[in-house]
Amino acid sequence: MKEYEQSIIDHYGQKDLDTHILEACERAGRRITLHGDTASFDEFHIRGRDATRELARLANLREGMKVLDLGCGVGGPARTLAAEFGCRVWGVDLVEEYCRCAAMLTERVGLGEVVTFRQGDMTDLPFEDQDFDAAWTEHTIMNIEDKGKLFAEIRRVLRPEGIFALYEICSGSASPPHFPLPWASDQSISFLTGQDALGGMLREAGFEEILWRDVTEASLEWFRGVVAGIKPRTDNVPRLGLNLLMGTTAADKSKNIVRNLKEDRIRVVQGVFRRTE
Ligand SMILES: C[S@@+](CC[C@H](N)C(=O)[O-])C[C@H]1O[C@@H](n2cnc3c(N)ncnc32)[C@H](O)[C@@H]1O
C-alpha cells in the first residue's frame, strides 16, 4: 500500500463504523428504511444533501446516466443521485469501512440495485476507459496531492463530452488553515489549491469549463443556521449528525471550518466541466 493511502485510511477509518451508526440510530429511535432516513449524517460536506441536489441540477444529471462518485464516503451523495435523479451510480473510496457502511445503508433504503460501491484509489481507478457519462466528487480533492493524475484518470473513464461535476474546498488568500479539519488533522494529507490553479489544471487535463461558482458565502450562511439550531442536550440520546463520521474531534473540526472560512483561509467552489474530444 502507498504511504498516502495508509494516511487517508488512518484519518477517516473507524473500526466497526457500520455497527456504530446502527447502534446510534437505534438509541435515537430512528429506523433506516428510506433514503431520507440517513440524510443527517451521510453527506460528508458543507450544506449536506442540499449541496448535492444543487450541483446535480447544475450538472444536468438525469435518469439513466451512469455516474462515478469519486471518494464516495458512506454513500449519501451516490444514493441521492440515484434516488432523486434516476442515475445508476458507482462509488469508489479508499476506506474499506466507508464502502462497507455505504453498501449496508444502501441495501437498507432499497437502492442496492442501482448503487454499487468498491474500495479503490480515485487516482488509479478500477474501471474501463470511457465507461461513465459523468464523474462526480464532493470534498475530496483537498486530500489528493497528485491532482494531475486524478484528472487524467477521470478523463480516461469518461466518455467523450462526459461531465465532471465537483464541489470542493480551495485555499483562500491567507494560509495555512487552522487544523484539525474534517479532511485532515494536520498539513500532511491536506493539499489545498487556489481556485484559478484548480481550474487551470482541469483545462490542461482536457476539460472545458461549463460553470464555476464560489459558494463560500452560502457555506458560511449554512453554518450560521446550523449553530442557531443547536440546542443544549439534556438527554442521553446520540446526535445523528456528521459527528458519527468525524469522531471525538468533531466539534473542533467544525469550529475550524467556520474560522477558516471567515478568515479567508479556505473557500468553497462548485464546478461543472465537459470532457473535450
Ligand atoms: C470529506 S469525505 C467526503 C465523502 C463524500 N464525497 C461525501 O461528500 O459525503 C472525503 C472522502 O474522500 C476519500 N478519499 C480521499 N482520498 C482518496 C483517494 N485517493 N481515493 C479514494 N477516496 C479517497 C476519503 O476516504 C473520504 O471518504
Side-chain angles (χ1 to χ4, degrees):
M1 185 183 293
K2 296 180 192 107
E3 204 181 318
Y4 72 84
E5 293 184 11
Q6 191 57 56
S7 306
I8 294 287
I9 291 167
D10 290 345
H11 176 72
Y12 288 104
Q14 274 187 59
K15 199 168 171 293
D16 302 325
L17 179 65
D18 45 2
T19 313
H20 172 59
I21 288 180
L22 287 180
E23 278 173 5
C25 288
E26 198 174 320
R27 282 179 50 214
R30 185 177 309 171
R31 291 185 63 223
I32 307 285
T33 53
L34 301 170
H35 173 52
D37 297 336
T38 54
S40 62
F41 62 82
D42 71 355
E43 303 242 6
F44 196 174
H45 50 256
I46 300 168
R47 290 200 296 134
R49 201 155 276 182
D50 284 347
T52 296
R53 292 181 177 126
E54 190 175 278
L55 183 62
R57 281 185 209 110
L58 291 169
N60 194 21
L61 297 192
R62 50 197 186 277
E63 193 157 353
M65 279 178 114
K66 189 173 174 185
V67 181
L68 175 61
D69 183 5
L70 303 135
C72 59
V74 297
R79 285 188 290 278
T80 299
L81 299 183
E84 301 184 21
F85 293 84
C87 302
R88 290 172 299 139
V89 190
W90 278 254
V92 64
D93 202 285
L94 258 187
V95 179
E96 184 70 52
E97 288 104 325
Y98 275 10
C99 295
R100 208 173 33 242
C101 192
M104 178 275 288
L105 294 172
T106 301
E107 280 303 323
R108 287 203 168 223
V109 303
L111 289 167
E113 301 264 291
V114 278
V115 188
T116 309
F117 299 96
R118 67 187 283 183
Q119 193 275 341
D121 182 355
M122 57 200 264
T123 67
D124 189 9
L125 289 167
F127 299 102
E128 301 288 311
D129 293 358
Q130 304 194 4
D131 209 6
F132 292 92
D133 300 309
W136 170 279
T137 202
E138 293 185 280
H139 287 34
T140 63
I141 293 178
M142 62 272 187
N143 276 141
I144 307 293
E145 186 169 18
D146 192 346
K147 299 187 202 313
K149 190 164 180 237
L150 169 68
F151 297 148
E153 271 296 83
I154 295 173
R155 188 173 198 283
R156 180 183 69 76
V157 299
L158 274 180
R159 66 164 171 75
E161 308 243 313
I163 293 295
F164 175 38
L166 60 101
Y167 175 50
E168 283 300 327
I169 311 266
C170 284
S171 53
S173 59
S175 65
H178 304 288
F179 290 97
L181 285 161
W183 65 90
S185 297
D186 58 41
Q187 199 77 56
S188 63
I189 53 165
S190 180
F191 306 102
L192 296 174
T193 318
Q195 298 193 49
D196 290 348
L198 193 64
M201 281 182 217
L202 276 157
R203 280 185 287 276
E204 207 165 289
F207 291 93
E208 175 194 356
E209 182 180 314
I210 300 173
L211 171 133
W212 187 266
R213 289 209 314 196
D214 184 321
V215 289
T216 307
E217 261 318 303
S219 306
L220 265 171
E221 197 52 46
W222 181 79
F223 274 110
R224 283 185 202 112
V226 170
V227 172
I230 294 176
K231 297 186 186 76
R233 300 298 291 250
T234 52
D235 52 31
N236 243 344
V237 178
R239 238 174 44 76
L240 301 181
L242 285 179
N243 54 302
L244 293 177
L245 305 183
M246 288 198 283
T248 50
T249 52
D252 289 338
K253 288 170 177 166
S254 300
K255 269 186 218 144
N256 281 335
I257 286 263
V258 176
R259 189 173 167 204
N260 288 322
L261 285 168
K262 283 186 180 158
E263 295 177 7
D264 196 25
R265 289 172 193 271
I266 58 172
R267 300 192 74 84
V268 189
V269 297
Q270 291 171 327
V272 179
F273 289 79
R274 183 183 296 115
R275 192 202 125 141
T276 52
E277 282 296 326

